């Protein structure tokens, strides 16, 4: 356990927030108009998949925020 606070955690949270906003805006800007005419049963798995994809790199990012190492 670390004894002194580091700037990695607040910067990491702000960075994560910025990346998630950019990711959401990209999906809303480019993918939503393409899928607007699709039946909701076809849209659902796409949006569920996109909602889970951003979690995949999160583990390494959280490790970096805590330790300063990527692995």
């Amino acid at each position: 356990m670390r004894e002194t606070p580091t700037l990695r955690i607040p910067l990491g949270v702000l960075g994560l927030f910025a990346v998630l906003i950019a990711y959401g805006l990209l999906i809303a800007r480019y993918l939503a108009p393409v899928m607007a005419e699709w039946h909701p049963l076809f849209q659902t798995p796409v949006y569920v998949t996109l909602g889970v994809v951003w979690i995949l790199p999160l583990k390494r990012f959280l490790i970096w925020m805590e330790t300063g190492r990527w692995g």
Side-chain angles (χ1 to χ4, degrees):
M1 195 79 184
R2 70 178 167 271
E3 307 250 343
T4 59
T6 65
L7 263 175
R8 275 192 314 271
I9 293 176
L11 291 178
V13 169
L14 291 174
L16 178 63
F17 186 64
V19 168
L20 287 177
I21 287 175
Y23 179 71
L25 289 174
L26 286 172
I27 298 300
R29 171 74 171 103
Y30 295 109
L31 189 62
V34 172
M35 293 180 18
E37 302 297 321
W38 294 10
H39 191 277
L41 290 175
F42 296 126
Q43 290 180 17
T44 302
V46 174
Y47 281 119
V48 168
T49 302
L50 290 171
V52 173
V53 163
W54 71 271
I55 296 174
L56 297 176
L58 192 59
K59 179 180 178 184
R60 288 182 163 251
F61 187 72
L62 292 174
I63 290 172
W64 171 78
M65 285 174 50
E66 285 295 322
T67 64
R69 296 185 318 256
W70 285 104

Coordinates of all heavy atoms in Angstrom, one line a residue:
M1 N 0.8 -1.2 0.0 CA 0.0 0.0 0.0 C 0.9 1.2 0.0 O 1.8 1.3 0.8 CB -0.9 0.0 1.2 CG -2.0 0.9 1.2 SD -3.3 0.2 0.2 CE -4.5 1.5 0.3
R2 N 0.5 2.2 -0.8 CA 1.4 3.4 -0.9 C 1.1 4.3 0.3 O 0.0 4.4 0.8 CB 1.2 4.1 -2.2 CG -0.1 4.7 -2.5 CD -0.1 5.4 -3.8 NE -1.5 5.7 -4.1 CZ -2.4 4.9 -4.6 NH1 -2.0 3.8 -5.1 NH2 -3.6 5.3 -4.8
E3 N 2.1 5.1 0.6 CA 1.9 6.0 1.8 C 1.6 7.4 1.3 O 1.0 8.2 2.1 CB 3.2 6.0 2.6 CG 3.7 4.6 3.0 CD 3.6 4.4 4.4 OE1 3.4 5.4 5.2 OE2 3.6 3.2 4.8
T4 N 2.0 7.8 0.1 CA 1.8 9.2 -0.3 C 0.9 9.1 -1.6 O 1.0 8.2 -2.4 CB 3.1 9.9 -0.7 OG1 3.7 9.1 -1.7 CG2 4.0 10.0 0.5
P5 N 0.0 10.1 -1.7 CA -0.9 10.1 -2.9 C -0.1 10.5 -4.1 O 0.9 11.2 -4.0 CB -1.9 11.2 -2.5 CG -1.3 12.0 -1.5 CD -0.3 11.2 -0.7
T6 N -0.6 10.0 -5.2 CA 0.1 10.4 -6.5 C -1.0 11.0 -7.4 O -2.2 10.9 -7.2 CB 0.6 9.1 -7.2 OG1 -0.5 8.3 -7.6 CG2 1.5 8.3 -6.4
L7 N -0.5 11.7 -8.4 CA -1.4 12.4 -9.4 C -1.9 11.4 -10.4 O -2.8 11.8 -11.2 CB -0.6 13.5 -10.1 CG -0.7 14.9 -9.6 CD1 0.2 15.8 -10.3 CD2 -2.2 15.3 -9.6
R8 N -1.4 10.2 -10.4 CA -1.9 9.2 -11.4 C -3.4 8.9 -11.3 O -4.1 8.8 -12.3 CB -1.1 7.9 -11.3 CG 0.2 7.8 -12.0 CD 0.7 6.4 -12.1 NE 0.7 5.7 -10.8 CZ 1.6 5.7 -9.9 NH1 2.7 6.4 -10.1 NH2 1.5 5.0 -8.8
I9 N -3.9 8.8 -10.1 CA -5.3 8.5 -9.9 C -6.3 9.6 -10.4 O -7.1 9.3 -11.2 CB -5.6 8.0 -8.4 CG1 -4.8 6.7 -8.2 CG2 -7.1 7.9 -8.2 CD1 -4.9 6.2 -6.7
P10 N -6.1 10.8 -9.9 CA -7.0 11.8 -10.5 C -6.9 12.0 -12.0 O -7.8 12.2 -12.7 CB -6.7 13.1 -9.7 CG -5.6 12.8 -8.8 CD -5.3 11.4 -8.9
L11 N -5.6 12.0 -12.5 CA -5.4 12.1 -13.9 C -6.0 10.9 -14.7 O -6.5 11.1 -15.7 CB -3.9 12.3 -14.2 CG -3.3 13.6 -13.8 CD1 -1.8 13.6 -14.1 CD2 -4.0 14.8 -14.4
G12 N -5.8 9.8 -14.1 CA -6.4 8.6 -14.7 C -7.9 8.6 -14.8 O -8.5 8.2 -15.8
V13 N -8.5 9.1 -13.7 CA -10.0 9.2 -13.7 C -10.4 10.2 -14.8 O -11.4 10.0 -15.5 CB -10.5 9.6 -12.3 CG1 -12.0 9.9 -12.4 CG2 -10.3 8.4 -11.4
L14 N -9.8 11.3 -14.8 CA -10.1 12.4 -15.8 C -9.9 11.8 -17.3 O -10.7 12.1 -18.2 CB -9.3 13.6 -15.6 CG -9.7 14.4 -14.3 CD1 -8.8 15.6 -14.1 CD2 -11.2 14.9 -14.4
G15 N -8.7 11.1 -17.4 CA -8.4 10.5 -18.7 C -9.5 9.5 -19.1 O -9.9 9.5 -20.3
L16 N -9.8 8.6 -18.2 CA -10.9 7.6 -18.5 C -12.2 8.3 -18.9 O -12.9 7.9 -19.8 CB -11.0 6.7 -17.3 CG -12.1 5.6 -17.4 CD1 -11.8 4.7 -18.5 CD2 -12.2 4.9 -16.1
F17 N -12.6 9.3 -18.1 CA -13.8 10.0 -18.4 C -13.8 10.6 -19.8 O -14.7 10.5 -20.6 CB -14.0 11.1 -17.3 CG -15.3 11.8 -17.4 CD1 -16.5 11.2 -17.2 CD2 -15.3 13.2 -17.7 CE1 -17.7 11.8 -17.3 CE2 -16.5 13.9 -17.8 CZ -17.7 13.2 -17.6
A18 N -12.6 11.3 -20.2 CA -12.5 11.9 -21.5 C -12.6 10.8 -22.6 O -13.2 11.0 -23.6 CB -11.2 12.6 -21.6
V19 N -11.9 9.7 -22.4 CA -11.9 8.6 -23.4 C -13.3 8.1 -23.6 O -13.8 7.8 -24.7 CB -10.9 7.6 -23.1 CG1 -11.0 6.3 -24.0 CG2 -9.5 8.1 -23.2
L20 N -14.0 7.9 -22.5 CA -15.4 7.3 -22.6 C -16.3 8.3 -23.2 O -17.2 7.9 -24.0 CB -15.9 6.9 -21.2 CG -15.3 5.7 -20.6 CD1 -15.8 5.5 -19.2 CD2 -15.5 4.5 -21.5
I21 N -16.2 9.6 -23.0 CA -17.0 10.6 -23.7 C -16.7 10.5 -25.2 O -17.6 10.5 -26.0 CB -16.8 12.0 -23.1 CG1 -17.4 12.1 -21.7 CG2 -17.3 13.0 -24.0 CD1 -17.2 13.4 -21.0
A22 N -15.4 10.5 -25.6 CA -15.1 10.4 -27.0 C -15.6 9.2 -27.6 O -16.1 9.2 -28.7 CB -13.5 10.5 -27.1
Y23 N -15.5 8.0 -26.9 CA -16.0 6.8 -27.4 C -17.5 6.8 -27.7 O -18.0 6.5 -28.7 CB -15.7 5.7 -26.4 CG -16.1 4.3 -26.8 CD1 -15.6 3.6 -27.9 CD2 -17.2 3.7 -26.1 CE1 -16.0 2.3 -28.2 CE2 -17.6 2.4 -26.4 CZ -17.0 1.7 -27.4 OH -17.4 0.5 -27.8
G24 N -18.2 7.4 -26.7 CA -19.7 7.5 -26.8 C -20.1 8.4 -28.0 O -21.0 8.2 -28.7
L25 N -19.3 9.5 -28.1 CA -19.6 10.5 -29.2 C -19.4 9.9 -30.5 O -20.1 10.1 -31.5 CB -18.8 11.8 -29.0 CG -19.3 12.7 -27.8 CD1 -18.3 13.8 -27.7 CD2 -20.7 13.2 -28.0
L26 N -18.3 9.1 -30.6 CA -18.0 8.4 -31.9 C -19.1 7.4 -32.3 O -19.5 7.4 -33.5 CB -16.6 7.7 -31.9 CG -15.4 8.7 -31.9 CD1 -14.2 7.9 -31.7 CD2 -15.4 9.3 -33.3
I27 N -19.5 6.7 -31.3 CA -20.6 5.7 -31.6 C -21.9 6.5 -32.0 O -22.6 6.1 -32.9 CB -20.9 4.9 -30.3 CG1 -19.6 4.0 -29.9 CG2 -22.1 4.0 -30.5 CD1 -19.2 3.1 -31.0
A28 N -22.2 7.5 -31.2 CA -23.5 8.3 -31.5 C -23.4 9.0 -32.9 O -24.4 9.0 -33.6 CB -23.7 9.3 -30.4
R29 N -22.2 9.4 -33.2 CA -22.1 10.2 -34.5 C -22.0 9.3 -35.7 O -22.7 9.6 -36.7 CB -20.8 11.0 -34.4 CG -20.4 11.7 -35.7 CD -21.3 12.9 -36.0 NE -20.7 13.7 -37.1 CZ -21.2 13.6 -38.3 NH1 -22.2 12.8 -38.6 NH2 -20.7 14.3 -39.3
Y30 N -21.3 8.2 -35.6 CA -21.1 7.4 -36.9 C -21.9 6.1 -36.9 O -22.3 5.7 -38.0 CB -19.6 7.1 -37.0 CG -18.8 8.3 -37.2 CD1 -17.9 8.8 -36.2 CD2 -18.9 9.0 -38.4 CE1 -17.2 10.0 -36.4 CE2 -18.1 10.2 -38.6 CZ -17.3 10.6 -37.6 OH -16.6 11.8 -37.8
L31 N -22.2 5.5 -35.8 CA -22.8 4.2 -35.9 C -24.3 4.3 -35.7 O -25.1 3.6 -36.4 CB -22.3 3.2 -34.8 CG -22.8 1.8 -34.9 CD1 -22.3 1.2 -36.2 CD2 -22.2 1.0 -33.8
A32 N -24.8 5.2 -34.9 CA -26.3 5.3 -34.7 C -27.0 5.6 -35.9 O -28.1 5.0 -36.2 CB -26.5 6.3 -33.6
P33 N -26.6 6.6 -36.8 CA -27.3 6.9 -38.0 C -27.3 5.7 -39.0 O -28.3 5.4 -39.6 CB -26.5 8.0 -38.7 CG -25.8 8.7 -37.6 CD -25.5 7.6 -36.6
V34 N -26.3 4.8 -39.0 CA -26.3 3.7 -39.8 C -27.3 2.6 -39.3 O -28.0 2.0 -40.1 CB -24.9 3.0 -39.8 CG1 -24.9 1.7 -40.5 CG2 -23.9 4.0 -40.5
M35 N -27.4 2.5 -38.0 CA -28.3 1.5 -37.5 C -29.7 2.0 -37.2 O -30.6 1.2 -36.7 CB -27.7 1.0 -36.1 CG -26.5 0.2 -36.3 SD -25.7 -0.4 -34.8 CE -26.9 -0.4 -33.6
A36 N -30.0 3.2 -37.5 CA -31.3 3.8 -37.2 C -32.5 3.1 -37.8 O -33.6 3.0 -37.3 CB -31.4 5.3 -37.6
E37 N -32.3 2.5 -39.0 CA -33.4 1.8 -39.7 C -33.4 0.3 -39.4 O -34.3 -0.4 -39.8 CB -33.1 2.0 -41.2 CG -33.1 3.4 -41.7 CD -34.5 4.1 -41.4 OE1 -35.5 3.5 -41.6 OE2 -34.4 5.3 -41.0
W38 N -32.5 -0.2 -38.6 CA -32.5 -1.6 -38.2 C -33.6 -1.9 -37.2 O -34.0 -1.0 -36.5 CB -31.1 -2.0 -37.6 CG -29.9 -1.9 -38.5 CD1 -29.9 -1.4 -39.7 CD2 -28.6 -2.4 -38.1 NE1 -28.6 -1.5 -40.2 CE2 -27.8 -2.1 -39.2 CE3 -28.1 -3.0 -37.0 CZ2 -26.5 -2.4 -39.3 CZ3 -26.8 -3.3 -37.0 CH2 -26.0 -3.0 -38.1
H39 N -34.0 -3.1 -37.2 CA -35.0 -3.6 -36.2 C -34.3 -3.6 -34.9 O -33.1 -3.9 -34.8 CB -35.4 -5.0 -36.6 CG -36.6 -5.5 -35.8 ND1 -36.4 -6.0 -34.6 CD2 -37.9 -5.4 -36.1 CE1 -37.6 -6.4 -34.1 NE2 -38.5 -6.0 -35.0
P40 N -35.0 -3.3 -33.8 CA -34.4 -3.2 -32.5 C -33.7 -4.6 -32.1 O -32.8 -4.6 -31.3 CB -35.5 -2.9 -31.6 CG -36.5 -2.1 -32.4 CD -36.4 -2.7 -33.8
L41 N -34.2 -5.7 -32.5 CA -33.6 -7.0 -32.2 C -32.2 -7.1 -32.8 O -31.4 -7.9 -32.3 CB -34.5 -8.1 -32.6 CG -35.8 -8.3 -31.8 CD1 -36.6 -9.4 -32.4 CD2 -35.5 -8.6 -30.4
F42 N -31.9 -6.4 -33.9 CA -30.6 -6.4 -34.5 C -29.7 -5.3 -33.9 O -28.5 -5.5 -33.8 CB -30.7 -6.2 -36.0 CG -31.4 -7.3 -36.7 CD1 -32.5 -7.0 -37.6 CD2 -31.0 -8.6 -36.5 CE1 -33.1 -8.1 -38.2 CE2 -31.7 -9.7 -37.2 CZ -32.8 -9.4 -38.0
Q43 N -30.3 -4.3 -33.4 CA -29.5 -3.2 -32.8 C -29.0 -3.6 -31.4 O -27.9 -3.2 -31.0 CB -30.4 -1.9 -32.6 CG -30.7 -1.2 -33.9 CD -31.5 0.0 -33.6 OE1 -31.6 0.5 -32.5 NE2 -32.2 0.5 -34.7
T44 N -29.8 -4.4 -30.7 CA -29.5 -4.7 -29.3 C -28.2 -5.4 -29.1 O -27.3 -4.9 -28.3 CB -30.6 -5.5 -28.7 OG1 -31.8 -4.8 -28.7 CG2 -30.3 -5.9 -27.2
P45 N -27.9 -6.5 -29.9 CA -26.5 -7.1 -29.7 C -25.4 -6.2 -30.0 O -24.3 -6.3 -29.4 CB -26.6 -8.3 -30.5 CG -27.8 -8.3 -31.4 CD -28.7 -7.2 -30.8
V46 N -25.6 -5.3 -31.0 CA -24.5 -4.4 -31.4 C -24.2 -3.4 -30.2 O -23.1 -3.2 -29.8 CB -24.8 -3.6 -32.6 CG1 -23.8 -2.6 -32.9 CG2 -25.0 -4.6 -33.8
Y47 N -25.3 -2.8 -29.6 CA -25.1 -1.9 -28.5 C -24.6 -2.6 -27.3 O -23.8 -2.0 -26.5 CB -26.4 -1.1 -28.3 CG -26.6 0.0 -29.2 CD1 -27.7 0.0 -30.0 CD2 -25.7 1.0 -29.4 CE1 -27.9 1.0 -30.9 CE2 -25.9 2.1 -30.3 CZ -27.0 2.1 -31.0 OH -27.2 3.1 -31.9
V48 N -25.0 -3.8 -27.0 CA -24.5 -4.6 -25.9 C -23.0 -4.8 -26.0 O -22.2 -4.7 -25.1 CB -25.3 -5.9 -25.7 CG1 -24.6 -6.8 -24.7 CG2 -26.7 -5.6 -25.2
T49 N -22.6 -5.3 -27.2 CA -21.2 -5.5 -27.5 C -20.4 -4.2 -27.3 O -19.3 -4.3 -26.7 CB -21.0 -6.1 -28.9 OG1 -21.8 -7.3 -29.0 CG2 -19.6 -6.4 -29.2
L50 N -20.9 -3.1 -27.9 CA -20.1 -1.9 -27.8 C -20.1 -1.4 -26.3 O -19.1 -0.7 -25.9 CB -20.8 -0.8 -28.7 CG -20.6 -1.1 -30.2 CD1 -21.4 -0.1 -31.0 CD2 -19.1 -1.0 -30.6
G51 N -21.1 -1.7 -25.6 CA -21.1 -1.3 -24.2 C -20.1 -2.1 -23.3 O -19.7 -1.7 -22.3
V52 N -19.7 -3.3 -23.8 CA -18.8 -4.1 -23.0 C -17.4 -4.0 -23.5 O -16.4 -4.1 -22.8 CB -19.2 -5.6 -23.1 CG1 -18.2 -6.6 -22.6 CG2 -20.6 -5.8 -22.5
V53 N -17.2 -3.6 -24.8 CA -15.9 -3.5 -25.4 C -15.0 -2.5 -24.6 O -13.8 -2.8 -24.5 CB -16.0 -3.1 -26.9 CG1 -14.7 -2.6 -27.5 CG2 -16.5 -4.2 -27.7
W54 N -15.5 -1.4 -24.2 CA -14.6 -0.4 -23.5 C -14.1 -1.0 -22.2 O -13.1 -0.4 -21.7 CB -15.4 0.9 -23.2 CG -16.5 0.8 -22.2 CD1 -17.7 0.4 -22.4 CD2 -16.3 1.0 -20.8 NE1 -18.4 0.4 -21.2 CE2 -17.5 0.8 -20.2 CE3 -15.2 1.4 -20.0 CZ2 -17.8 0.9 -18.8 CZ3 -15.4 1.5 -18.6 CH2 -16.7 1.3 -18.1
I55 N -14.6 -2.0 -21.6 CA -14.2 -2.6 -20.4 C -12.9 -3.4 -20.6 O -12.1 -3.5 -19.6 CB -15.3 -3.5 -19.7 CG1 -16.5 -2.6 -19.4 CG2 -14.8 -4.2 -18.5 CD1 -17.7 -3.4 -18.9
L56 N -12.7 -3.9 -21.8 CA -11.5 -4.8 -22.0 C -10.2 -4.2 -21.7 O -9.4 -4.8 -21.0 CB -11.5 -5.3 -23.5 CG -12.7 -6.1 -23.9 CD1 -12.7 -6.4 -25.4 CD2 -12.8 -7.4 -23.0
P57 N -9.8 -2.9 -22.0 CA -8.5 -2.4 -21.7 C -8.5 -1.8 -20.2 O -7.5 -1.3 -19.8 CB -8.3 -1.3 -22.7 CG -9.6 -0.9 -23.1 CD -10.5 -2.1 -23.0
L58 N -9.6 -1.8 -19.5 CA -9.7 -1.2 -18.3 C -8.8 -1.7 -17.2 O -8.3 -1.0 -16.4 CB -11.2 -1.2 -17.8 CG -11.6 -0.3 -16.6 CD1 -11.3 1.2 -17.0 CD2 -13.0 -0.5 -16.3
K59 N -8.6 -3.1 -17.2 CA -7.8 -3.7 -16.2 C -6.4 -3.1 -16.2 O -5.8 -2.8 -15.1 CB -7.8 -5.2 -16.4 CG -6.9 -5.9 -15.3 CD -6.9 -7.4 -15.6 CE -6.0 -8.1 -14.6 NZ -5.9 -9.5 -14.8
R60 N -5.8 -3.1 -17.3 CA -4.4 -2.6 -17.4 C -4.3 -1.1 -17.0 O -3.4 -0.6 -16.4 CB -3.8 -2.7 -18.8 CG -3.5 -4.1 -19.1 CD -2.9 -4.3 -20.5 NE -2.2 -5.5 -20.6 CZ -0.9 -5.7 -20.7 NH1 -0.2 -4.6 -20.7 NH2 -0.4 -6.9 -20.7
F61 N -5.4 -0.3 -17.4 CA -5.4 1.1 -17.0 C -5.5 1.3 -15.5 O -4.8 2.1 -15.0 CB -6.6 1.7 -17.8 CG -6.7 3.2 -17.6 CD1 -5.8 4.0 -18.3 CD2 -7.7 3.8 -16.8 CE1 -5.8 5.4 -18.1 CE2 -7.7 5.1 -16.6 CZ -6.8 5.9 -17.3
L62 N -6.4 0.5 -14.9 CA -6.5 0.6 -13.4 C -5.2 0.1 -12.7 O -4.8 0.7 -11.7 CB -7.6 -0.3 -12.9 CG -9.0 0.2 -13.3 CD1 -10.1 -0.7 -12.9 CD2 -9.3 1.6 -12.8
I63 N -4.5 -0.9 -13.3 CA -3.2 -1.3 -12.7 C -2.2 -0.1 -12.8 O -1.5 0.2 -11.9 CB -2.7 -2.5 -13.5 CG1 -3.5 -3.8 -13.1 CG2 -1.2 -2.8 -13.1 CD1 -3.2 -5.0 -13.9
W64 N -2.2 0.6 -14.0 CA -1.3 1.7 -14.1 C -1.7 2.8 -13.1 O -0.8 3.4 -12.5 CB -1.4 2.3 -15.5 CG -0.7 3.6 -15.6 CD1 0.7 3.8 -15.7 CD2 -1.2 4.9 -15.6 NE1 1.0 5.1 -15.8 CE2 -0.2 5.8 -15.7 CE3 -2.5 5.4 -15.4 CZ2 -0.4 7.2 -15.6 CZ3 -2.7 6.8 -15.4 CH2 -1.7 7.6 -15.5
M65 N -2.9 3.1 -12.9 CA -3.3 4.1 -11.9 C -2.8 3.8 -10.5 O -2.4 4.6 -9.8 CB -4.9 4.3 -11.9 CG -5.4 5.0 -13.1 SD -7.2 5.1 -13.2 CE -7.7 5.6 -11.6
E66 N -2.8 2.5 -10.2 CA -2.4 2.1 -8.8 C -0.9 2.0 -8.6 O -0.4 2.3 -7.6 CB -3.1 0.8 -8.4 CG -4.6 0.9 -8.1 CD -4.8 1.8 -6.8 OE1 -4.0 1.6 -5.9 OE2 -5.7 2.5 -6.8
T67 N -0.2 1.4 -9.7 CA 1.2 1.1 -9.5 C 2.1 1.9 -10.3 O 3.3 2.0 -10.0 CB 1.4 -0.4 -9.9 OG1 1.1 -0.6 -11.2 CG2 0.5 -1.3 -9.0
G68 N 1.7 2.5 -11.4 CA 2.5 3.2 -12.3 C 3.1 2.3 -13.4 O 3.9 2.8 -14.3
R69 N 2.8 1.0 -13.4 CA 3.3 0.0 -14.4 C 2.1 -0.4 -15.2 O 0.9 -0.5 -14.7 CB 3.9 -1.2 -13.8 CG 5.2 -0.8 -13.0 CD 5.8 -2.1 -12.5 NE 4.9 -3.0 -11.9 CZ 4.6 -3.2 -10.7 NH1 5.3 -2.6 -9.8 NH2 3.7 -4.1 -10.3
W70 N 2.3 -0.8 -16.5 CA 1.2 -1.3 -17.3 C 0.9 -2.7 -17.2 O -0.1 -3.2 -17.7 CB 1.5 -0.9 -18.8 CG 1.3 0.5 -19.1 CD1 2.2 1.4 -19.3 CD2 0.0 1.2 -19.2 NE1 1.7 2.7 -19.5 CE2 0.4 2.6 -19.5 CE3 -1.3 0.8 -19.2 CZ2 -0.6 3.5 -19.6 CZ3 -2.3 1.8 -19.3 CH2 -1.9 3.1 -19.6
G71 N 1.8 -3.5 -16.6 CA 1.6 -4.9 -16.5 C 1.5 -5.4 -15.1 O 1.7 -4.8 -14.1

